[in-house]
Amino acid sequence: MSQFNDKASKSIQEALEPLVAHVEQRLEALAGSLRQRDILAIEQQAGDLHQALATAVESFIHAARHGGVPDTLRLRLTRASAQLARQREALARATAALDRAVDVLLPGCLPAARMYSDKGLTLPTSRHDSLSA
């Protein structure tokens, strides 16, 4: 029985390894595009990364239900997820800094009540929006 589990575990690892490697490659490509500030490449790499992550997560879920995911691959995917979070945070900070610079250079071009969400800059729906307790 142990030999069967070892073969199943090795088979799962062999199936998941290229998916994790692809996610890592897409992350590195996105990081390179961000460093080069190539907007078109950033868009392309972000889309490719999204697809790679979706495929990997779906396969990890399937593997978890049918025998488990090796710890080494789980750790690599967790690291990739953390790297993506760091890239997202750096991009959000850069966007906020750019918005502040635009406000200084072109005051009054954007409404004062701007909000940021996980989808980026969100503008209020009306000029009479207010917060209530």
Side-chain angles (χ1 to χ4, degrees):
M1 188 72 158
S2 176
Q3 186 179 14
F4 175 76
N5 287 338
D6 290 344
K7 284 183 181 181
S9 178
K10 185 171 180 152
S11 175
I12 289 171
Q13 179 146 356
E14 288 173 353
L16 295 177
E17 171 67 31
L19 298 174
V20 174
H22 187 64
V23 167
E24 292 167 337
Q25 290 167 352
R26 297 293 48 141
L27 270 170
E28 186 55 40
L30 178 59
S33 296
L34 287 167
R35 280 190 298 273
Q36 295 173 358
R37 297 180 182 167
D38 183 342
I39 295 171
L40 295 176
I42 291 169
E43 286 288 328
Q44 179 65 46
Q45 296 302 336
D48 292 349
L49 175 59
H50 184 271
Q51 182 61 45
L53 277 169
T55 302
V57 167
E58 183 177 310
S59 296
F60 267 67
I61 290 170
H62 178 75
R65 291 180 181 156
H66 297 93
V69 176
D71 289 339
T72 55
L73 291 178
R74 186 184 319 251
L75 180 61
R76 283 176 59 193
L77 192 61
T78 300
R79 286 181 183 154
S81 177
Q83 182 180 353
L84 179 60
R86 286 190 303 271
Q87 286 179 347
R88 185 180 295 139
E89 179 64 27
L91 190 56
R93 282 193 307 271
T95 301
L98 178 62
D99 286 345
R100 286 190 303 273
V102 168
D103 284 346
V104 168
L105 296 173
L106 304 168
C109 286
L110 292 174
R114 293 175 302 183
M115 299 291 284
Y116 283 92
S117 70
D118 60 346
K119 293 181 175 117
L121 179 64
T122 305
L123 300 175
T125 56
S126 73
R127 294 192 180 275
H128 302 294
D129 287 349
S130 63
L131 296 175
S132 59

mmCIF file with all atom_site columns, all heavy atoms in Angstrom, residues 30 32-45:
data_model
loop_
_atom_site.group_PDB
_atom_site.id
_atom_site.type_symbol
_atom_site.label_atom_id
_atom_site.label_alt_id
_atom_site.label_comp_id
_atom_site.label_asym_id
_atom_site.label_entity_id
_atom_site.label_seq_id
_atom_site.pdbx_PDB_ins_code
_atom_site.Cartn_x
_atom_site.Cartn_y
_atom_site.Cartn_z
_atom_site.occupancy
_atom_site.B_iso_or_equiv
_atom_site.pdbx_formal_charge
_atom_site.auth_seq_id
_atom_site.auth_comp_id
_atom_site.auth_asym_id
_atom_site.auth_atom_id
_atom_site.pdbx_PDB_model_num
ATOM 1   N N   . LEU A 1 30 ? 6.733  39.239 -15.309 1.00 0.00 ? 30 LEU A N   1
ATOM 2   C CA  . LEU A 1 30 ? 5.992  40.431 -14.899 1.00 0.00 ? 30 LEU A CA  1
ATOM 3   C C   . LEU A 1 30 ? 6.911  41.390 -14.152 1.00 0.00 ? 30 LEU A C   1
ATOM 4   O O   . LEU A 1 30 ? 6.873  42.604 -14.383 1.00 0.00 ? 30 LEU A O   1
ATOM 5   C CB  . LEU A 1 30 ? 4.788  40.062 -14.035 1.00 0.00 ? 30 LEU A CB  1
ATOM 6   C CG  . LEU A 1 30 ? 3.953  41.228 -13.507 1.00 0.00 ? 30 LEU A CG  1
ATOM 7   C CD1 . LEU A 1 30 ? 3.406  42.078 -14.650 1.00 0.00 ? 30 LEU A CD1 1
ATOM 8   C CD2 . LEU A 1 30 ? 2.827  40.722 -12.630 1.00 0.00 ? 30 LEU A CD2 1
ATOM 9   N N   . GLY A 1 32 ? 10.085 41.743 -14.538 1.00 0.00 ? 32 GLY A N   1
ATOM 10  C CA  . GLY A 1 32 ? 10.941 42.366 -15.543 1.00 0.00 ? 32 GLY A CA  1
ATOM 11  C C   . GLY A 1 32 ? 10.222 43.473 -16.296 1.00 0.00 ? 32 GLY A C   1
ATOM 12  O O   . GLY A 1 32 ? 10.780 44.552 -16.536 1.00 0.00 ? 32 GLY A O   1
ATOM 13  N N   . SER A 1 33 ? 8.979  43.232 -16.659 1.00 0.00 ? 33 SER A N   1
ATOM 14  C CA  . SER A 1 33 ? 8.184  44.248 -17.361 1.00 0.00 ? 33 SER A CA  1
ATOM 15  C C   . SER A 1 33 ? 7.944  45.458 -16.468 1.00 0.00 ? 33 SER A C   1
ATOM 16  O O   . SER A 1 33 ? 7.966  46.599 -16.940 1.00 0.00 ? 33 SER A O   1
ATOM 17  C CB  . SER A 1 33 ? 6.847  43.664 -17.806 1.00 0.00 ? 33 SER A CB  1
ATOM 18  O OG  . SER A 1 33 ? 7.048  42.630 -18.738 1.00 0.00 ? 33 SER A OG  1
ATOM 19  N N   . LEU A 1 34 ? 7.711  45.217 -15.173 1.00 0.00 ? 34 LEU A N   1
ATOM 20  C CA  . LEU A 1 34 ? 7.523  46.324 -14.238 1.00 0.00 ? 34 LEU A CA  1
ATOM 21  C C   . LEU A 1 34 ? 8.808  47.147 -14.103 1.00 0.00 ? 34 LEU A C   1
ATOM 22  O O   . LEU A 1 34 ? 8.748  48.379 -14.070 1.00 0.00 ? 34 LEU A O   1
ATOM 23  C CB  . LEU A 1 34 ? 7.082  45.801 -12.865 1.00 0.00 ? 34 LEU A CB  1
ATOM 24  C CG  . LEU A 1 34 ? 5.643  45.291 -12.783 1.00 0.00 ? 34 LEU A CG  1
ATOM 25  C CD1 . LEU A 1 34 ? 5.426  44.525 -11.494 1.00 0.00 ? 34 LEU A CD1 1
ATOM 26  C CD2 . LEU A 1 34 ? 4.658  46.432 -12.909 1.00 0.00 ? 34 LEU A CD2 1
ATOM 27  N N   . ARG A 1 35 ? 9.950  46.465 -14.045 1.00 0.00 ? 35 ARG A N   1
ATOM 28  C CA  . ARG A 1 35 ? 11.228 47.182 -13.945 1.00 0.00 ? 35 ARG A CA  1
ATOM 29  C C   . ARG A 1 35 ? 11.477 48.026 -15.188 1.00 0.00 ? 35 ARG A C   1
ATOM 30  O O   . ARG A 1 35 ? 11.996 49.129 -15.103 1.00 0.00 ? 35 ARG A O   1
ATOM 31  C CB  . ARG A 1 35 ? 12.389 46.200 -13.749 1.00 0.00 ? 35 ARG A CB  1
ATOM 32  C CG  . ARG A 1 35 ? 12.545 45.698 -12.333 1.00 0.00 ? 35 ARG A CG  1
ATOM 33  C CD  . ARG A 1 35 ? 13.841 44.922 -12.149 1.00 0.00 ? 35 ARG A CD  1
ATOM 34  N NE  . ARG A 1 35 ? 13.914 43.725 -12.972 1.00 0.00 ? 35 ARG A NE  1
ATOM 35  C CZ  . ARG A 1 35 ? 13.437 42.528 -12.617 1.00 0.00 ? 35 ARG A CZ  1
ATOM 36  N NH1 . ARG A 1 35 ? 12.854 42.370 -11.444 1.00 0.00 ? 35 ARG A NH1 1
ATOM 37  N NH2 . ARG A 1 35 ? 13.551 41.496 -13.416 1.00 0.00 ? 35 ARG A NH2 1
ATOM 38  N N   . GLN A 1 36 ? 11.091 47.509 -16.351 1.00 0.00 ? 36 GLN A N   1
ATOM 39  C CA  . GLN A 1 36 ? 11.286 48.228 -17.613 1.00 0.00 ? 36 GLN A CA  1
ATOM 40  C C   . GLN A 1 36 ? 10.216 49.282 -17.860 1.00 0.00 ? 36 GLN A C   1
ATOM 41  O O   . GLN A 1 36 ? 10.334 50.073 -18.776 1.00 0.00 ? 36 GLN A O   1
ATOM 42  C CB  . GLN A 1 36 ? 11.315 47.238 -18.776 1.00 0.00 ? 36 GLN A CB  1
ATOM 43  C CG  . GLN A 1 36 ? 12.488 46.302 -18.741 1.00 0.00 ? 36 GLN A CG  1
ATOM 44  C CD  . GLN A 1 36 ? 12.390 45.228 -19.803 1.00 0.00 ? 36 GLN A CD  1
ATOM 45  O OE1 . GLN A 1 36 ? 11.435 45.150 -20.560 1.00 0.00 ? 36 GLN A OE1 1
ATOM 46  N NE2 . GLN A 1 36 ? 13.399 44.374 -19.867 1.00 0.00 ? 36 GLN A NE2 1
ATOM 47  N N   . ARG A 1 37 ? 9.155  49.226 -17.056 1.00 0.00 ? 37 ARG A N   1
ATOM 48  C CA  . ARG A 1 37 ? 8.027  50.155 -17.190 1.00 0.00 ? 37 ARG A CA  1
ATOM 49  C C   . ARG A 1 37 ? 7.404  50.086 -18.585 1.00 0.00 ? 37 ARG A C   1
ATOM 50  O O   . ARG A 1 37 ? 7.011  51.095 -19.164 1.00 0.00 ? 37 ARG A O   1
ATOM 51  C CB  . ARG A 1 37 ? 8.459  51.576 -16.848 1.00 0.00 ? 37 ARG A CB  1
ATOM 52  C CG  . ARG A 1 37 ? 8.913  51.695 -15.420 1.00 0.00 ? 37 ARG A CG  1
ATOM 53  C CD  . ARG A 1 37 ? 9.341  53.060 -15.069 1.00 0.00 ? 37 ARG A CD  1
ATOM 54  N NE  . ARG A 1 37 ? 9.810  53.055 -13.677 1.00 0.00 ? 37 ARG A NE  1
ATOM 55  C CZ  . ARG A 1 37 ? 10.474 54.022 -13.136 1.00 0.00 ? 37 ARG A CZ  1
ATOM 56  N NH1 . ARG A 1 37 ? 10.734 55.102 -13.805 1.00 0.00 ? 37 ARG A NH1 1
ATOM 57  N NH2 . ARG A 1 37 ? 10.872 53.933 -11.900 1.00 0.00 ? 37 ARG A NH2 1
ATOM 58  N N   . ASP A 1 38 ? 7.309  48.862 -19.086 1.00 0.00 ? 38 ASP A N   1
ATOM 59  C CA  . ASP A 1 38 ? 6.721  48.593 -20.401 1.00 0.00 ? 38 ASP A CA  1
ATOM 60  C C   . ASP A 1 38 ? 5.246  48.239 -20.199 1.00 0.00 ? 38 ASP A C   1
ATOM 61  O O   . ASP A 1 38 ? 4.901  47.114 -19.847 1.00 0.00 ? 38 ASP A O   1
ATOM 62  C CB  . ASP A 1 38 ? 7.472  47.440 -21.063 1.00 0.00 ? 38 ASP A CB  1
ATOM 63  C CG  . ASP A 1 38 ? 6.976  47.142 -22.469 1.00 0.00 ? 38 ASP A CG  1
ATOM 64  O OD1 . ASP A 1 38 ? 5.857  47.557 -22.832 1.00 0.00 ? 38 ASP A OD1 1
ATOM 65  O OD2 . ASP A 1 38 ? 7.733  46.472 -23.198 1.00 0.00 ? 38 ASP A OD2 1
ATOM 66  N N   . ILE A 1 39 ? 4.388  49.214 -20.426 1.00 0.00 ? 39 ILE A N   1
ATOM 67  C CA  . ILE A 1 39 ? 2.967  49.061 -20.117 1.00 0.00 ? 39 ILE A CA  1
ATOM 68  C C   . ILE A 1 39 ? 2.321  47.916 -20.888 1.00 0.00 ? 39 ILE A C   1
ATOM 69  O O   . ILE A 1 39 ? 1.567  47.129 -20.318 1.00 0.00 ? 39 ILE A O   1
ATOM 70  C CB  . ILE A 1 39 ? 2.217  50.378 -20.371 1.00 0.00 ? 39 ILE A CB  1
ATOM 71  C CG1 . ILE A 1 39 ? 2.727  51.445 -19.389 1.00 0.00 ? 39 ILE A CG1 1
ATOM 72  C CG2 . ILE A 1 39 ? 0.715  50.210 -20.229 1.00 0.00 ? 39 ILE A CG2 1
ATOM 73  C CD1 . ILE A 1 39 ? 2.236  52.836 -19.679 1.00 0.00 ? 39 ILE A CD1 1
ATOM 74  N N   . LEU A 1 40 ? 2.621  47.815 -22.176 1.00 0.00 ? 40 LEU A N   1
ATOM 75  C CA  . LEU A 1 40 ? 2.022  46.728 -22.968 1.00 0.00 ? 40 LEU A CA  1
ATOM 76  C C   . LEU A 1 40 ? 2.493  45.363 -22.475 1.00 0.00 ? 40 LEU A C   1
ATOM 77  O O   . LEU A 1 40 ? 1.698  44.426 -22.377 1.00 0.00 ? 40 LEU A O   1
ATOM 78  C CB  . LEU A 1 40 ? 2.347  46.919 -24.450 1.00 0.00 ? 40 LEU A CB  1
ATOM 79  C CG  . LEU A 1 40 ? 1.733  48.159 -25.108 1.00 0.00 ? 40 LEU A CG  1
ATOM 80  C CD1 . LEU A 1 40 ? 2.201  48.279 -26.553 1.00 0.00 ? 40 LEU A CD1 1
ATOM 81  C CD2 . LEU A 1 40 ? 0.217  48.103 -25.038 1.00 0.00 ? 40 LEU A CD2 1
ATOM 82  N N   . ALA A 1 41 ? 3.772  45.265 -22.159 1.00 0.00 ? 41 ALA A N   1
ATOM 83  C CA  . ALA A 1 41 ? 4.298  43.994 -21.646 1.00 0.00 ? 41 ALA A CA  1
ATOM 84  C C   . ALA A 1 41 ? 3.708  43.685 -20.276 1.00 0.00 ? 41 ALA A C   1
ATOM 85  O O   . ALA A 1 41 ? 3.414  42.515 -19.978 1.00 0.00 ? 41 ALA A O   1
ATOM 86  C CB  . ALA A 1 41 ? 5.825  44.037 -21.576 1.00 0.00 ? 41 ALA A CB  1
ATOM 87  N N   . ILE A 1 42 ? 3.524  44.703 -19.446 1.00 0.00 ? 42 ILE A N   1
ATOM 88  C CA  . ILE A 1 42 ? 2.917  44.490 -18.127 1.00 0.00 ? 42 ILE A CA  1
ATOM 89  C C   . ILE A 1 42 ? 1.521  43.913 -18.288 1.00 0.00 ? 42 ILE A C   1
ATOM 90  O O   . ILE A 1 42 ? 1.158  42.943 -17.613 1.00 0.00 ? 42 ILE A O   1
ATOM 91  C CB  . ILE A 1 42 ? 2.879  45.802 -17.317 1.00 0.00 ? 42 ILE A CB  1
ATOM 92  C CG1 . ILE A 1 42 ? 4.290  46.221 -16.909 1.00 0.00 ? 42 ILE A CG1 1
ATOM 93  C CG2 . ILE A 1 42 ? 1.990  45.647 -16.077 1.00 0.00 ? 42 ILE A CG2 1
ATOM 94  C CD1 . ILE A 1 42 ? 4.381  47.631 -16.340 1.00 0.00 ? 42 ILE A CD1 1
ATOM 95  N N   . GLU A 1 43 ? 0.734  44.493 -19.179 1.00 0.00 ? 43 GLU A N   1
ATOM 96  C CA  . GLU A 1 43 ? -0.627 43.980 -19.427 1.00 0.00 ? 43 GLU A CA  1
ATOM 97  C C   . GLU A 1 43 ? -0.586 42.526 -19.886 1.00 0.00 ? 43 GLU A C   1
ATOM 98  O O   . GLU A 1 43 ? -1.340 41.697 -19.387 1.00 0.00 ? 43 GLU A O   1
ATOM 99  C CB  . GLU A 1 43 ? -1.329 44.836 -20.485 1.00 0.00 ? 43 GLU A CB  1
ATOM 100 C CG  . GLU A 1 43 ? -1.773 46.183 -19.999 1.00 0.00 ? 43 GLU A CG  1
ATOM 101 C CD  . GLU A 1 43 ? -2.963 46.094 -19.050 1.00 0.00 ? 43 GLU A CD  1
ATOM 102 O OE1 . GLU A 1 43 ? -3.804 45.193 -19.196 1.00 0.00 ? 43 GLU A OE1 1
ATOM 103 O OE2 . GLU A 1 43 ? -3.028 46.941 -18.152 1.00 0.00 ? 43 GLU A OE2 1
ATOM 104 N N   . GLN A 1 44 ? 0.297  42.226 -20.826 1.00 0.00 ? 44 GLN A N   1
ATOM 105 C CA  . GLN A 1 44 ? 0.403  40.859 -21.351 1.00 0.00 ? 44 GLN A CA  1
ATOM 106 C C   . GLN A 1 44 ? 0.861  39.892 -20.263 1.00 0.00 ? 44 GLN A C   1
ATOM 107 O O   . GLN A 1 44 ? 0.267  38.828 -20.083 1.00 0.00 ? 44 GLN A O   1
ATOM 108 C CB  . GLN A 1 44 ? 1.383  40.820 -22.527 1.00 0.00 ? 44 GLN A CB  1
ATOM 109 C CG  . GLN A 1 44 ? 1.574  39.438 -23.122 1.00 0.00 ? 44 GLN A CG  1
ATOM 110 C CD  . GLN A 1 44 ? 0.320  38.903 -23.757 1.00 0.00 ? 44 GLN A CD  1
ATOM 111 O OE1 . GLN A 1 44 ? -0.350 39.600 -24.496 1.00 0.00 ? 44 GLN A OE1 1
ATOM 112 N NE2 . GLN A 1 44 ? -0.017 37.650 -23.472 1.00 0.00 ? 44 GLN A NE2 1
ATOM 113 N N   . GLN A 1 45 ? 1.890  40.278 -19.528 1.00 0.00 ? 45 GLN A N   1
ATOM 114 C CA  . GLN A 1 45 ? 2.421  39.395 -18.480 1.00 0.00 ? 45 GLN A CA  1
ATOM 115 C C   . GLN A 1 45 ? 1.413  39.193 -17.354 1.00 0.00 ? 45 GLN A C   1
ATOM 116 O O   . GLN A 1 45 ? 1.306  38.103 -16.809 1.00 0.00 ? 45 GLN A O   1
ATOM 117 C CB  . GLN A 1 45 ? 3.739  39.955 -17.925 1.00 0.00 ? 45 GLN A CB  1
ATOM 118 C CG  . GLN A 1 45 ? 4.867  40.014 -18.929 1.00 0.00 ? 45 GLN A CG  1
ATOM 119 C CD  . GLN A 1 45 ? 5.214  38.663 -19.528 1.00 0.00 ? 45 GLN A CD  1
ATOM 120 O OE1 . GLN A 1 45 ? 4.968  37.612 -18.952 1.00 0.00 ? 45 GLN A OE1 1
ATOM 121 N NE2 . GLN A 1 45 ? 5.790  38.691 -20.708 1.00 0.00 ? 45 GLN A NE2 1
#
